[in-house]
Amino acid sequence: MMLTNSLSKGQIAFLAVVILIVLIAIFLIIYIPSRAKFKAKQFKYNFYKKIYQIAFDEDFYLINDFVFSLDNNQKAKVDHILFGNKYIYLISDYYYEGSLSGNDEEQELYLDSFKGERFITDNPIKESQKLAKRISFTTGVSIDYIVGIVLVNDECELDIRQTYKTHYIIQRKDLKALIKSIESRNVNNFVANQLQETVNYFDKINEKTRQ
């Protein structure tokens, strides 16, 4: 009887399946974290595109990455300031890998990860409220005309009881509808030349602080 090193068709098929499974496993191990990292890096650009489109469509002024001084040693930043016809919107970018739930009045919210784990995280609306007060103090704009918006990625499901009328947490896809709703309130529009002066003043603060 002669020994042979050749493999049977069944063995070849088995090895092919094993190799395919290994390659798929390697692909998933590399692809899924890489995709998540890519989305986390891209979210700011996607937010910017959304906000810029709203500013363009509605003919609103827009300042991105607004920096201002809290005191001689500290600075603060607002990701986007959108100047509407009736309100000034302070928009802060946030990315969450999971869903948020809780009450907007609480200091903390629940973050349920896509893996099923539950964490407690700071309520970003509270930071938005602090920014609004600081902006009002720095610029002299009445807090009544400032709306704070926490903008989160669309993958982040929200189950938050929202009670505030000037501070919101919403998904990116809902931003345009929210602003349209707020702008439809029965309040007077800004006077055009005063709005222009306000935008110029914000712009000067931004330029001076960055020097």
Side-chain angles (χ1 to χ4, degrees), residues 4-61:
T4 177
N5 291 327
S6 62
L7 298 175
S8 67
K9 291 183 178 179
Q11 290 173 317
I12 292 173
F14 174 76
L15 286 175
V17 170
V18 170
I19 292 171
L20 180 61
I21 291 174
V22 171
L23 290 175
I24 291 174
I26 293 173
F27 171 78
L28 292 176
I29 290 171
I30 295 173
Y31 172 75
I32 293 176
S34 298
R35 184 170 180 267
K37 290 179 181 178
F38 176 78
K39 289 175 71 174
K41 289 181 179 179
Q42 283 291 103
F43 88 97
K44 278 188 170 292
Y45 175 67
N46 292 333
F47 284 11
Y48 164 76
K49 287 199 303 181
K50 181 73 172 184
I51 297 165
Y52 175 81
Q53 190 62 53
I54 294 172
F56 181 82
D57 292 342
E58 302 297 328
D59 197 24
F60 289 168
Y61 294 104

Side-chain angles (χ1 to χ4, degrees), residues 102-117:
N103 189 315
D104 65 356
E105 296 178 331
E106 299 294 332
Q107 294 294 326
E108 297 172 330
L109 298 174
Y110 291 112
L111 171 62
D112 294 300
S113 74
F114 295 133
K115 297 179 180 179
E117 300 170 304

Side-chain angles (χ1 to χ4, degrees), residues 173-185:
K173 62 184 176 64
D174 296 325
L175 178 61
K176 186 173 184 177
L178 173 64
I179 290 176
K180 278 188 171 292
S181 175
I182 296 172
E183 287 289 309
S184 69
R185 292 176 182 174

